[in-house]
Amino acid sequence: MPETAIVLRARGVRKTYGGVTALREADVDIRRGEVHCLAGENGSGKSTLIKIVSGVEQPDAGTITLDGHDVGRLTPTRAVELGIQVIHQDLSLFPNLSVAENIAMVARVASRRRLVSRRDAMALAKATTERLGVSLDLTERASNLPVAQRQLAAICRAFAHDAKVLFMDEPTTALTWREVDALLALVDTLRAEGLAVVFVSHKLEEVFRISDRVTVLRNGEVVHAGEVKDLDRPTLVRVMTGQDVTEDRDVTELPPDTRPVLATRGLGRRHEFADVSFSVRAGEVVGLTGLLGSGRTEIAEAIFGMRPADTGEILVDGEPVRVRSVHDAIRAGIAYVPGDRLTQGVFLGQSIRRNLIAGSIDRLISRTGRLRDKAVQRTVTTAVESLRIKTSDVAAPVRTLSGGNQQRVVLGKWLARSPRVLVLNSPTVGVDIGSKEGILQVLRDRARAGMGVLVISDDVPELVSVCHRVLVVRRGRVVDEIASARMSVQAVTDGLTG
């Protein structure tokens, strides 16, 4: 590799936190005009490396060079001035400012301007969006944009300051597959412009689709670096996890006379969905998929009583149940794992122990109103062991866990109630390949024990891997059903595109 092709180089980077090694002598080379994937499971060291390169954290040892020059001690402002930028998962936009003002912000900070010119901001934003071929309402407040457009605004912001290296941390997590297509097309444009893009994603199909090279970290060490074309999916999974992980379809067929544990009849909610009728049998995993705005999440929230249906009925074990609130759903034996675990699924500042019993406190309280310590301990121990939650101390806050383990805590909270029906919205978003397969295996095991499972997701390979059937929602109606006999990624994709 010619030395002139390397825009960013890290050598011997080491970082420890309280005696725990997060990075161990990490070496990474990033070339200009390439898309470089940074891969690894949660806790592998990817985020730590990004924080160090962007000046958020200081390394204990090692050097970082940009265009062959040692950058010395980096700060976030200094990193931006040098052309190193990061688009975090939360995008870090100013919600009260316009799109144009957000796009121009980094350029203003880097130039150390104290006076704000809205006209100049508009001119810079317009020139940037036109250069990238992006269509955005530059006068709109950032808070009013959908997630996909906020992602585009964040990319334009980086490009407006002539970034040399752009880190994109899980950029497609909250996007539908059509929005992912548009984003990856924009990444192609950035690459053609000579920008070095470092792409972090747990979705391996995106890694193979967009990346030129990949660096894999495991337990803080670089265990592989090379061309993506030299790897296949099983090999990359093995390098990332240190073991063979099966991603094939694994579904146990059910007897045809198996009774439904959940059924909806003519379920509807004004302006959101209508005439939704389907069933989930005991031991069955059913997928519910559709594009953003199709009504899939609204249907799930109606079943759980978060946004009750206006019409139709819900049946559990063949009996109609009145679901006008979350408490009604819980009493009926329905549990719900939300799509946004950080704001809806867990109490980040509370302990793992408290989170695991939060869904079943009514079953753990004695007649005197006190928690029964032995019952609590039994519930927590069972959840940690059966779900393989990686923790050395259940008194630690949930925020100390990886994304995959946080999701297992959410699962454990509801599984402690032994519900008849488990509804999950995007259950593996933001978790690594090893944790993802572990979570899907939990769903298979619970289904085989007789639970009915409804999975809402637009991760088509995931649905094919775990579901007996997949229902497709379009404009608030179930328009297709892919049965087991014709289940494939292509069949589900065709159902989505209509």
Side-chain angles (χ1 to χ4, degrees):
M1 180 196 308
E3 289 295 315
T4 54
I6 300 173
V7 60
L8 178 70
R9 167 172 281 171
R11 283 289 177 268
V13 177
R14 185 170 71 247
K15 183 67 179 180
T16 59
Y17 296 98
V20 177
T21 301
L23 276 179
R24 185 180 289 107
E25 313 300 333
D27 295 343
V28 180
D29 290 331
I30 310 297
R31 302 175 186 173
R32 57 176 47 85
E34 77 167 359
V35 178
H36 191 118
C37 177
L38 202 57
E41 295 190 281
N42 291 334
S44 63
K46 303 189 304 296
S47 295
T48 301
L49 180 60
I50 292 173
K51 289 176 181 178
I52 288 173
V53 172
S54 61
V56 175
E57 297 277 5
Q58 297 301 317
D60 298 329
T63 59
I64 299 169
T65 60
L66 189 70
D67 288 330
H69 302 289
D70 191 332
V71 299
R73 183 181 176 87
L74 280 174
T75 64
T77 301
R78 178 62 178 155
V80 168
E81 290 173 346
L82 291 172
I84 302 170
Q85 293 196 42
V86 180
I87 299 177
H88 299 281
Q89 289 187 46
D90 62 3
L91 304 181
S92 301
L93 297 178
F94 295 93
N96 60 316
L97 297 183
S98 70
V99 173
E101 289 168 329
N102 270 282
I103 291 174
M105 183 58 69
V106 171
R108 286 175 178 167
V109 171
S111 62
R112 301 183 184 274
R113 296 180 186 174
R114 296 189 177 185
L115 298 178
V116 175
S117 168
R118 291 183 178 176
R119 185 175 62 182
D120 290 348
M122 181 63 72
L124 177 59
K126 186 177 180 180
T128 303
T129 54
E130 287 178 352
R131 184 177 174 188
L132 293 178
V134 171
S135 178
L136 289 170
D137 183 350
L138 301 179
T139 62
E140 184 65 84
R141 279 194 176 192
S143 59
N144 295 333
L145 296 181
V147 174
Q149 291 193 20
R150 292 204 301 270
Q151 187 71 259
L152 296 180
I155 292 172
C156 290
R157 179 183 59 189
F159 204 74
H161 180 54
D162 293 326
K164 295 180 179 179
V165 184
L166 176 61
F167 288 83
M168 302 178 72
D169 190 6
E170 292 287 342
T172 65
T173 296
L175 304 184
T176 66
W177 63 271
R178 279 187 175 173
E179 292 167 340
V180 170
D181 282 345
L183 178 65
L184 296 186
L186 180 55
V187 171
D188 269 331
T189 300
L190 298 176
R191 170 167 46 198
E193 289 275 355
L195 185 65
V197 179
V198 182
F199 197 84
V200 181
S201 177
H202 291 308
K203 299 178 181 179
L204 299 191
E205 60 273 17
E206 295 174 2
V207 173
F208 284 100
R209 178 177 169 185
I210 197 67
S211 301
D212 300 300
R213 293 192 303 130
V214 59
T215 295
V216 181
L217 290 116
R218 189 169 73 235
N219 298 325
E221 294 186 81
V222 173
V223 294
H224 177 85
E227 303 284 335
V228 170
K229 65 182 181 182
D230 296 332
L231 297 171
D232 58 19
R233 187 181 178 102
T235 302
L236 179 56
V237 171
R238 185 166 58 252
V239 172
M240 289 171 59
T241 64
Q243 58 188 336
D244 290 317
V245 177
T246 300
E247 298 181 277
D248 297 333
R249 179 168 168 77
D250 182 6
V251 173
T252 301
E253 294 302 323
L254 303 175
D257 59 348
T258 306
R259 289 188 170 187
V261 290
L262 171 71
T264 67
R265 294 177 180 168
L267 208 64
R269 182 177 171 87
R270 191 177 181 185
H271 303 310
E272 292 182 357
F273 57 90
D275 196 25
V276 174
S277 300
F278 66 88
S279 64
V280 181
R281 296 180 292 168
E284 186 177 32
V285 182
V286 174
L288 193 66
T289 190
L291 302 180
L292 188 68
S294 64
R296 66 187 192 194
T297 293
E298 289 78 3
I299 293 170
E301 292 178 345
I303 292 172
F304 193 56
M306 296 173 67
R307 296 152 63 92
D310 300 324
T311 60
E313 63 179 347
I314 298 171
L315 299 90
V316 176
D317 287 324
E319 296 294 326
V321 294
R322 183 179 183 273
V323 180
R324 308 305 301 169
S325 68
V326 169
H327 293 296
D328 288 343
I330 293 173
R331 281 195 295 269
I334 302 171
Y336 180 63
V337 176
D340 188 349
R341 64 173 174 266
L342 298 183
T343 61
Q344 296 179 313
V346 292
F347 304 101
L348 286 172
Q350 295 294 319
S351 68
I352 298 165
R353 176 180 182 272
R354 287 187 175 184
N355 272 274
L356 286 171
I357 65 172
S360 53
I361 286 179
D362 59 325
R363 301 184 177 187
L364 302 173
I365 293 179
S366 67
R367 292 180 179 177
T368 61
R370 297 175 63 86
L371 284 172
R372 294 181 286 119
D373 291 340
K374 289 185 178 179
V376 169
Q377 185 59 42
R378 187 164 53 249
T379 298
V380 172
T381 301
T382 299
V384 170
E385 292 179 352
S386 64
L387 296 175
R388 297 189 178 96
I389 298 171
K390 294 181 181 179
T391 179
S392 58
D393 185 6
V394 294
V398 168
R399 68 161 56 96
T400 63
L401 298 177
S402 68
N405 281 295
Q406 288 178 3
Q407 190 73 330
R408 289 169 191 258
V409 170
V410 183
L411 274 171
K413 177 179 69 175
W414 290 114
L415 292 177
R417 294 195 66 88
S418 299
R420 294 294 293 135
V421 181
L422 179 62
V423 183
L424 306 103
N425 195 346
S426 304
T428 63
V429 164
V431 304
D432 58 66
I433 188 69
S435 295
K436 175 179 178 176
E437 183 54 36
I439 289 170
L440 295 183
Q441 190 57 48
V442 169
L443 302 187
R444 295 186 185 102
D445 292 342
R446 294 301 168 135
R448 287 164 182 161
M451 188 179 293
V453 180
L454 180 65
V455 179
I456 292 85
S457 176
D458 61 4
D459 187 329
V460 176
E462 171 181 293
L463 293 172
V464 172
S465 168
V466 76
C467 294
H468 293 80
R469 294 180 290 129
V470 173
L471 307 174
V472 178
V473 181
R474 194 179 304 135
R475 296 188 181 95
R477 294 178 182 270
V478 177
V479 297
D480 195 9
E481 176 182 323
I482 293 91
S484 184
R486 67 183 185 102
M487 182 73 69
S488 68
V489 170
Q490 188 62 53
V492 179
T493 301
D494 288 345
L496 281 168
T497 57

